[in-house]
């Protein structure tokens, strides 16, 4: 992103702050009709991308070019036109009322500028997926077999991609949920950062975990999980917390790739950590019509299990390598933590309102206002007008790339729906699965991980849900477990090689090879894979069923994860050799992935393996710093 010089920087900051403030205002008093809100949202956040993000390597880093200003104007025109004509757009009958040449021109401008904005600020892979989707609509009738579609005119392609707000496209429901609920939650997260909540989380992580073996690694896990409740973005988590934790981990003996892997595995978990999960969770609530509060409750145990597994892994590896805790001089005293503790009251208010089934946007609005008021209780956290302004600017900078990513995903979903490709691709996967639910789950998991190579988490989840959820429901899986399963694998794609955005960001800080860092992150994030399948086979972890079912399902996952992570690390209560590691790893995989066994038997397998592995003898401890 550019560091703009001169008056343009403050002007754009004011633009973004005002746009965020308007979104926050609407979150509290009510939104205008959908088309007007979506048009305002895109008008506010798409054009600034061309001034803030350079177009290429040769583009100036401190000022926009004339071409950038032309892109700015071209990006503003279609959304301004829709905003002015919102009533007429809302009243028109899709595919029935006249489609004018002016509409075609506006649609072309909107699509081309979104593609370029996506390329600059999000991922080129998403831009290419949008292009492929549009090409499939235009030329799919030339393809053979199951890929064949009916012919679409140019006007139909443009209308489906741009102005069919009830089904998808640029102004579809996905843009709607981002412009309303998600936007207000992003603002709340920005205000948490501006009030000093980030300092609270950093100090809490260091105070809670820093004094134990492998302290910096545990601090990275705890801190990243807490930061994730603010941002829900894995890459921003890595950049924020990794700058502190990765050097500390390297200093006490972790190899750079392992340090980066720990940080990136911990950071992606932010998107699954309640109470403020990633943007995809709000999209899930919109798609399923399940209250967000219910999704948070269902995901809570899974998120805790994910972080438990990473903590167990870093603990075992640190013990095996004989690593030291953090230096006492770098561990903040608890009084330093308690000095900011009042800031959690706004999060408590948010959780309470969500549990009481208030609308997500209004709950986030109230929590944001409460955050400002609560920050006034102490001088060190008091939010000045400048801090409030900066928080709004940061929220705007977060929303801009998300706005274009979701609009692009809307075009892909619209193309998949209009052409029937959702049904066709789902049919292909269903045929390959041959009626086997385990095989279907594996195929869908691979599909989501492949999508995640070039797409951010939210678009990846949206497209996978369109393809996979109907297949899972047809197999008898409930709606929420089906969506959570796909959501988890969309999150894990950020650390899964060969393309892993979070791991690559951590590698740049650690000075390690990105692919090796991603492999370590995948190994440490094994809980995401086991918990993803557990949503299907062990509904107790979603707090479904009686107390015994919930406890037993959770215990199975805990035992399986301990066995698997100990096998990886070569350490349980003491160092263990190759044969016990094989026994442990096999038993852990059986407990996690063989639900045909009775639940008590699965738990017994993992527990017995741990006892057997520890009793089979000890391997000599390796030299310090080999983790």
């Amino acid at each position: 992103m550019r560091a703009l010089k001169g008056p343009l920087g403050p002007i754009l900051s004011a633009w973004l702050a005002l746009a965020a403030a308007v979104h926050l205002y609407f979150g509290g008093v009510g939104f205008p009709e959908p088309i007007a809100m979506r048009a305002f949202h895109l008008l506010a956040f798409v054009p600034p991308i061309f001034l803030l993000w350079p177009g290429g390597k040769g583009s100036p880093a401190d000022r926009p070019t004339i071409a950038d200003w032309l892109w700015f104007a071209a990006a503003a025109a279609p959304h301004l036109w829709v905003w002015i004509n919102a009533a007429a757009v809302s009243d028109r009958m899709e595919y029935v009322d006249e489609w004018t040449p002016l509409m075609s021109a506006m649609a072309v401008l909107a699509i081309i500028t979104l593609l370029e904005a996506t390329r600059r600020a999000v991922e080129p892979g998403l831009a290419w997926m949008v292009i492929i989707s549009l090409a499939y609509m235009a030329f799919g009738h030339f393809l053979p077999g199951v890929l064949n579609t009916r012919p679409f005119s140019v006007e139909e392609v443009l209308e489906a991609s741009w102005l069919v707000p009830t089904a998808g496209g640029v102004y579809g429901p996905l843009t709607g949920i981002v412009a309303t609920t998600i936007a207000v939650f992003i603002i709340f997260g920005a205000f948490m950062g501006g009030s000093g909540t980030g300092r609270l989380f950093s100090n809490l992580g260091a105070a809670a975990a820093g004094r134990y073996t492998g302290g910096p690694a545990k601090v990275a896990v705890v801190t990243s999980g807490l930061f994730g409740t603010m941002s829900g973005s894995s890459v921003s988590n890595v950049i924020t917390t990794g700058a502190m934790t990765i050097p500390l981990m390297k200093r006490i003996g972790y190899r750079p790739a392992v340090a980066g892997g720990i940080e990136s595995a911990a950071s992606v978990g932010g998107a699954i950590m309640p109470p403020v999960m990633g943007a995809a969770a709000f999209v899930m609530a919109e798609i399923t019509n399940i209250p967000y509060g219910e999704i948070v409750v269902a995901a809570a145990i899974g998120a805790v299990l994910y972080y438990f597994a990473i903590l167990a892994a870093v603990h075992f590896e640190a013990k095996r390598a004989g690593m030291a805790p953090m230096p006492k001089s770098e561990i903040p005293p608890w009084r330093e933590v308690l000095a900011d503790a009042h800031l959690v009251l706004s999060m408590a208010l948010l959780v309470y309102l969500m549990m009481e089934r208030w609308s997500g946007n209004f709950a986030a609005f109230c929590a944001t206002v409460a955050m400002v008021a609560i920050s006034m209780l102490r001088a060190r956290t008091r939010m000045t007008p400048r801090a409030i302004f900066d928080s709004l600017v940061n929220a705007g900078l977060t929303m801009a790339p998300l706005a274009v990513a979701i609009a692009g995903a809307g075009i892909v979903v619209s193309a998949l729906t209009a052409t029937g490709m959702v049904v066709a691709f789902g049919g292909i996967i269903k045929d390959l699965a041959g009626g086997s639910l385990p095989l279907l789950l594996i195929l869908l998991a691979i599909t989501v991980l492949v999508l995640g190579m070039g797409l951010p988490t939210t678009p990846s989840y949206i497209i996978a849900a369109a393809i996979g959820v109907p297949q899972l429901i047809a197999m008898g899986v409930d709606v929420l477990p089906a969506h959570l399963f796909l959501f988890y694998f969309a999150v894990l794609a950020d650390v899964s090689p060969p393309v892993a955005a979070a791991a690559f960001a951590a590698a740049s800080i650690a000075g390690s090879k990105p692919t090796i860092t991603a492999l370590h992150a995948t190994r440490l994030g094994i809980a995401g894979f086991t918990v993803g399948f557990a949503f299907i086979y062990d509904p107790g972890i979603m707090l479904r069923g009686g107390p015994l079912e919930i406890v037993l399902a959770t215990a199975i996952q805990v035992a399986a994860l301990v066995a698997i992570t100990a096998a990886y690390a070569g350490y349980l209560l003491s160092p263990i050799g190759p044969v016990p590691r094989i026994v442990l790893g096999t038993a852990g995989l059986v407990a996690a992935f063989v639900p045909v066994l009775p639940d008590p038997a699965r738990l017994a397998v993992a527990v017995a393996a741990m006892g057997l592995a520890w009793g089979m003898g000890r391997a000599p401890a390796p030299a310090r710093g080999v983790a």
Side-chain angles (χ1 to χ4, degrees):
M1 194 169 66
R2 287 183 171 119
L4 296 173
K5 293 182 179 180
L8 182 59
I11 290 172
L12 275 180
S13 294
W15 172 303
L16 294 170
L18 179 60
V22 171
H23 280 72
L24 180 63
Y25 170 79
F26 284 145
V29 304
F31 295 97
E33 65 94 15
I35 287 295
M37 187 65 218
R38 296 169 194 180
F40 170 76
H41 176 73
L42 294 174
L43 176 62
F45 294 121
V46 177
I49 284 176
F50 297 101
L51 306 182
L52 290 166
W53 273 266
K57 291 183 179 179
S59 187
D62 58 354
R63 59 180 175 80
T65 64
I66 294 175
D68 292 328
W69 281 106
L70 293 176
W71 278 110
F72 177 93
H79 308 305
L80 180 62
W81 183 86
V82 172
W83 188 43
I84 293 172
N85 298 281
V89 171
S90 297
D91 291 341
R92 71 181 301 273
M93 295 182 65
E94 299 158 359
Y95 303 117
V96 175
D97 285 356
E98 180 185 11
W99 182 262
T100 67
L102 177 60
M103 289 179 175
S104 292
M106 292 293 109
V108 169
L109 279 179
I111 293 169
I112 291 176
T113 53
L114 276 174
L115 287 171
E116 174 61 9
T118 302
R119 183 192 70 83
R120 291 190 186 200
V122 188
E123 286 284 347
L126 178 56
W128 278 110
M129 181 161 284
V130 174
I131 292 171
I132 292 169
S133 300
L134 293 170
Y136 182 61
M137 285 191 72
F139 305 110
H141 59 285
F142 293 117
L143 298 177
V146 72
L147 297 177
N148 185 261
T149 70
R150 72 171 180 85
F152 288 86
S153 68
V154 173
E155 290 77 13
E156 286 178 315
V157 173
L158 293 176
E159 184 172 7
S161 303
W162 185 49
L163 215 57
V164 184
T166 59
V170 175
Y171 289 97
L174 297 178
T175 296
I177 186 63
V178 175
T180 53
T181 302
I182 294 177
V184 186
F185 271 86
I186 288 173
I187 296 167
F188 172 66
F191 271 74
M192 288 178 68
S195 66
T197 308
R199 180 180 62 238
L200 167 65
F201 289 163
S202 179
N203 288 340
L204 177 59
R211 66 191 74 249
Y212 300 106
T213 302
K218 294 174 182 175
V219 170
V221 176
V222 175
T223 305
S224 295
L226 293 171
F227 265 88
T229 65
M230 295 195 314
S231 69
S233 167
S234 57
V235 176
S236 65
N237 255 9
V238 167
I239 293 170
T240 302
T241 61
M244 174 189 70
T245 58
I246 290 175
L248 280 175
M249 284 188 274
K250 290 171 63 178
R251 193 186 311 163
I252 67 165
Y254 281 97
R255 293 202 313 268
V258 177
I262 291 170
E263 176 58 46
S264 49
S267 290
V268 300
I272 60 177
M273 177 58 72
V276 184
M277 298 162 70
F282 296 98
V283 175
M284 187 190 303
E286 179 74 9
I287 294 174
T288 61
N289 288 322
I290 296 173
Y292 179 74
E294 188 174 330
I295 293 174
V296 167
V297 170
I301 291 180
V304 172
L305 287 170
Y306 180 84
Y307 278 101
F308 166 78
I310 301 177
L311 281 171
V314 300
H315 173 76
F316 290 145
E317 294 196 4
K319 293 289 286 186
R320 177 175 63 91
M323 292 183 179
M326 286 178 64
K328 289 185 178 181
S329 60
E330 297 181 11
I331 300 176
W334 280 104
R335 65 176 179 274
E336 184 74 10
V337 179
L338 295 175
D340 296 323
H342 58 289
L343 295 174
V344 301
L345 292 174
S346 63
M347 293 184 67
L349 175 64
L350 175 67
V351 172
Y352 170 77
L353 293 177
M354 296 294 288
M355 294 301 102
E356 290 294 312
R357 301 204 172 208
W358 290 55
S359 68
N361 52 274
F362 189 71
F365 168 81
C366 293
T368 303
V369 174
M371 175 63 74
V372 176
I374 291 167
S375 74
M376 301 297 176
L377 296 177
R378 288 179 180 268
R380 62 183 276 140
T381 60
R382 190 167 297 142
M383 294 191 72
T384 63
R386 180 68 194 189
I388 293 172
F389 176 80
D390 288 343
S391 297
L392 290 170
V393 172
N394 289 334
L397 289 172
T398 301
M399 279 190 271
L402 182 61
V404 297
I406 295 299
I411 295 176
V412 175
V413 171
S414 180
L416 292 174
T417 304
T419 60
M421 189 58 189
V422 168
V423 177
F425 193 76
I428 293 171
I429 293 179
K430 184 177 179 180
D431 290 342
L432 289 174
S436 168
L437 179 58
L439 185 54
L440 176 63
L441 292 172
I442 292 171
L443 290 171
L444 287 174
I446 293 171
T447 300
V448 181
L449 291 174
V450 170
L451 282 173
M453 290 181 188
L455 302 183
T457 296
T458 303
S460 174
Y461 157 72
I462 291 168
I463 297 167
I467 295 169
V469 168
Q471 308 305 318
L472 291 173
I473 292 175
M475 287 276 195
V477 178
D478 288 344
V479 172
L480 185 54
H483 278 271
L484 285 173
F485 171 81
L486 295 170
F487 174 48
Y488 259 60
F489 281 94
V491 169
L492 289 172
D494 264 356
V495 293
S496 301
V499 180
F504 286 13
S508 67
I509 298 173
S512 58
K513 292 183 178 180
T515 301
I516 301 301
T517 302
L519 288 171
H520 282 292
T522 303
R523 171 177 67 86
L524 292 160
I526 185 66
F529 295 92
T530 65
V531 171
F533 280 88
F535 284 130
I536 306 296
Y537 291 115
D538 295 309
I541 70 163
M542 295 186 295
L543 297 177
R544 292 185 173 186
L548 181 60
E549 294 171 282
I550 294 170
V551 171
L552 187 56
T554 305
I556 289 170
Q557 292 301 312
V558 168
L561 291 171
V562 169
I564 293 170
T565 54
Y568 276 145
Y571 189 100
L572 190 56
L573 296 176
S574 61
I576 54 177
V579 174
R581 293 174 72 172
I582 293 173
V583 171
L584 267 180
T586 303
L589 292 173
V590 168
F593 295 112
V594 186
V596 292
L597 291 176
D599 286 352
R602 293 165 63 196
L603 179 60
V605 165
V607 173
M610 284 187 274
L612 181 63
W614 184 69
M616 285 177 69
R618 304 177 181 182
R624 178 184 175 88
V626 300

